Amino acid sequence: SYVMTQAPSMSVAPGQTATLTCGGIDIDSKSVHWYQQKAGAAPILVIFNDDERPAGIPDRFSGSNSWNAASLTISRVEPGDEADYYCQVWDTATGHRVFGGGTKLTV
Amino acid sequence: KLVETGGGVVQPGRSLRLSCTASEFTMSDSPMNWVRQAPGKGLEWLTYISKTGDNIYYAESIRGRFAVSRDNSKNTLFLDMSSLALQDTAIYYCARERAGASFDSWGPGTLVTVSS
């Protein structure tokens, strides 16, 4: 099954920009989705189809996808952005949906 | 919008059925998935079922032990789990699938603990 790699952790100061990456072979040929999961809560979708934001998600969250890595960028990071972030794709070869291992963002 | 039920403590080797009920939307409009999260671990996709239930996929970790189904007349999704093992201990989430196979709505999850 398709494998995606995320850094286990990242630390950023409030007000700075955090860029989280998700690596995978030919990932730019896939639609990448990103989820935010705060402690004790269910995940929520923050970016879908590489760079689209669901209603209600601040425009501080943006996404991109090129070559062998997709990225989630959080601008003007706030303490409330502290969470685990997961990337996810649909592996069309198997029909499986696949998650990356997640990145714990500390603010 | 989605609520999972049926979790609890179960002995190894036993079975359990989870349910996921939708409100405020018609479940038959969307494919659905089950995802789990073991304590302190990441998200693990388990299974996908199409709108009508005629297309199903399973992760290798549960193939042959778990079965997904849906009753659109009751707006409900099911996960039948058998031969449960200690490593199946996790929070189980149901999730609605939308654009590009993204999961735009999740339930709060139900905890399954496999323990003797």
Side-chain angles (χ1 to χ4, degrees):
Chain A
S1 198
Y2 191 74
V3 175
M4 295 184 294
T5 303
Q6 296 183 252
S9 62
M10 180 176 188
S11 182
V12 63
Q16 299 301 302
T17 296
T19 300
L20 290 70
T21 61
C22 177
I25 296 174
D26 294 329
I27 197 170
D28 58 342
S29 67
K30 303 181 184 300
S31 291
V32 180
H33 318 298
W34 291 90
Y35 302 87
Q36 176 194 68
Q37 185 181 33
K38 296 184 179 180
I44 63 168
L45 181 67
V46 294
I47 292 289
F48 67 100
N49 290 347
D50 298 337
D51 57 9
E52 299 187 63
R53 267 189 319 275
I57 301 300
D59 60 6
R60 299 185 299 105
F61 289 80
S62 62
S64 65
N65 188 6
S66 63
W67 198 41
N68 276 342
S71 297
L72 171 68
T73 299
I74 310 172
S75 304
R76 305 181 301 281
V77 169
E78 301 175 355
D81 297 330
E82 186 163 286
D84 295 323
Y85 291 85
Y86 297 90
C87 56
Q88 177 251 320
V89 301
W90 171 27
D91 180 8
T92 56
T94 61
H96 293 185
R97 282 61 179 155
V98 182
F99 287 97
T103 295
K104 181 177 183 61
L105 178 67
T106 299
V107 180
Chain B
K1 295 183 178 180
L2 292 169
V3 177
E4 304 91 344
T5 56
V9 180
V10 60
Q11 292 180 326
R14 303 299 292 266
S15 300
L16 201 63
R17 167 176 261 205
L18 304 183
S19 300
C20 168
T21 302
S23 60
E24 302 177 23
F25 78 94
T26 302
M27 190 177 276
S28 60
D29 289 342
S30 303
M32 297 294 295
N33 292 263
W34 286 98
V35 177
R36 72 182 177 184
Q37 186 170 36
K41 303 297 185 182
L43 301 174
E44 178 188 13
W45 171 81
L46 296 179
T47 181
Y48 160 95
I49 184 168
S50 60
K51 296 177 187 180
T52 58
D54 59 352
N55 200 14
I56 290 172
Y57 299 106
Y58 293 105
E60 291 304 318
S61 61
I62 64 164
R63 185 184 300 277
R65 298 190 302 124
F66 291 11
V68 64
S69 61
R70 63 193 300 163
D71 185 341
N72 287 336
S73 68
K74 297 182 179 179
N75 240 20
T76 303
L77 175 73
F78 301 101
L79 184 65
D80 288 293
M81 306 184 295
S82 63
S83 302
L84 284 163
L86 299 178
Q87 56 265 39
D88 295 316
T89 293
I91 297 173
Y92 286 72
Y93 298 101
C94 61
R96 182 177 73 175
E97 183 168 305
R98 298 303 285 265
S102 62
F103 303 158
D104 74 332
S105 184
W106 297 65
T110 187
L111 177 61
V112 173
T113 302
V114 183
S115 173
S116 55

